Amino acid sequence: MRLSARVDYALRAAAELAATASGPGRGRPVTADQIARAQEIPPKFLESIMLQLRRGGIVHAQRGPEGGYWLARPAEEISLAEVIRVIDGPLAHVRGQRPEQLGYHGPARALQEVWIALRASEREILELVSVADVAAGTLPPRITELVADPRAWI
């Protein structure tokens, strides 16, 4: 699985907003500059990512001296999968197509089912983990179980 820099930054920004929402000063919008500094994200790049997140219903924004960003819903209700879809579209593509749209023939026919199973597995994990889980550093047991396997790290 390859994640774009945009997705990586979007997930980090969402986690930063989740942590801010539950920490001191909660309820106040967080500026893009604060997020960029905290997560070491290029500010101009982050601005366009935050616009996508706002259009995708992940964050709200307010302009002005008291402006900034905040999560549109509780962090527990925002899965990593949702953020990824808002930024990069559907989870699994093969050559720009959804796996169910591929047409393999002969001995390669089973590849379509492999790609669909891969997408299902990816979706299971990414929908299981919320932005709140990441911000709190407390991942669901299924995730810690997978990470405990040394083969997961190579």
Side-chain angles (χ1 to χ4, degrees), residues 74-99:
E76 297 80 13
E77 296 177 14
I78 302 171
S79 72
L80 301 187
E82 183 179 358
V83 174
I84 292 169
R85 284 187 195 106
V86 164
I87 299 298
D88 273 357
L91 292 178
H93 277 117
V94 178
R95 298 184 332 261
Q97 291 184 299
R98 297 175 64 96

Side-chain angles (χ1 to χ4, degrees), residues 94 99 102-118:
V94 178
L102 299 170
Y104 291 115
H105 306 285
R109 184 173 287 142
L111 277 176
Q112 182 178 37
E113 292 181 20
V114 172
W115 303 150
I116 290 171
L118 177 65

Side-chain angles (χ1 to χ4, degrees), residues 18 57-58 71-83 126-133:
I58 303 289
L71 294 175
R73 300 186 313 279
E76 297 80 13
E77 296 177 14
I78 302 171
S79 72
L80 301 187
E82 183 179 358
V83 174
L126 294 172
E127 288 180 353
L128 181 64
V129 181
S130 73
V131 171
D133 295 330

